Amino acid sequence: TILEIKNTAAPGEPRVYEEKTFEFDPESVDIPRCELIDLKGGGPEENAEKFRAVLQGGDHTDAKRDSIVLNAGVGCYVYGLTETIEEGIALARKTLISGKAAELIEEWVETSQKIAAE
């Protein structure tokens, strides 16, 4: 079950929220169910390594990558980038497969290291 809450007011106007609840099954977009242990992380270094592996280009998959695809896909839909959750998930998968996500995280790491060194 997904609860979507949107601010439907024009900019500068008092906020007006629209609420919509609907059912969605991740298996309908080839995201299998997993166990909590499949999503469990470890220490900071291990988590960073696993996160980078999830973002690497290519069509490999595991529970961690599937959860990112699912969350990003729903986010794309809620934000209005796509018309449906399914389209959002397709966009998230395409972005991960292309390697663009990995490129972006490396840019963020380099930038944050430069800022920290100043």
Side-chain angles (χ1 to χ4, degrees), residues 11-104:
E13 295 293 321
R15 293 180 181 222
V16 177
Y17 292 98
E18 174 183 290
E19 181 181 308
K20 180 169 83 173
T21 303
F22 55 96
E23 297 291 321
F24 175 76
D25 183 358
E27 289 182 325
S28 70
V29 288
D30 299 323
I31 295 179
R33 303 215 185 291
C34 67
E35 299 293 325
L36 184 59
I37 191 71
D38 299 327
L39 299 172
K40 188 173 188 228
E45 291 174 10
E46 179 185 355
N47 290 345
E49 180 182 322
K50 287 184 178 186
F51 185 63
R52 282 194 173 104
V54 164
L55 296 181
Q56 290 304 310
D59 61 358
H60 62 281
T61 192
D62 62 15
K64 290 177 177 70
R65 189 169 181 155
D66 286 343
S67 71
I68 288 176
V69 166
L70 178 61
N71 282 291
V74 171
C76 289
Y77 168 71
V78 170
Y79 191 69
L81 295 176
T82 60
E83 294 292 318
T84 66
I85 292 174
E86 291 82 2
E87 289 174 6
I89 288 170
L91 177 59
R93 276 193 179 124
K94 180 179 175 184
T95 302
L96 283 177
I97 289 170
S98 74
K100 290 179 185 175
E103 291 170 13
L104 183 59

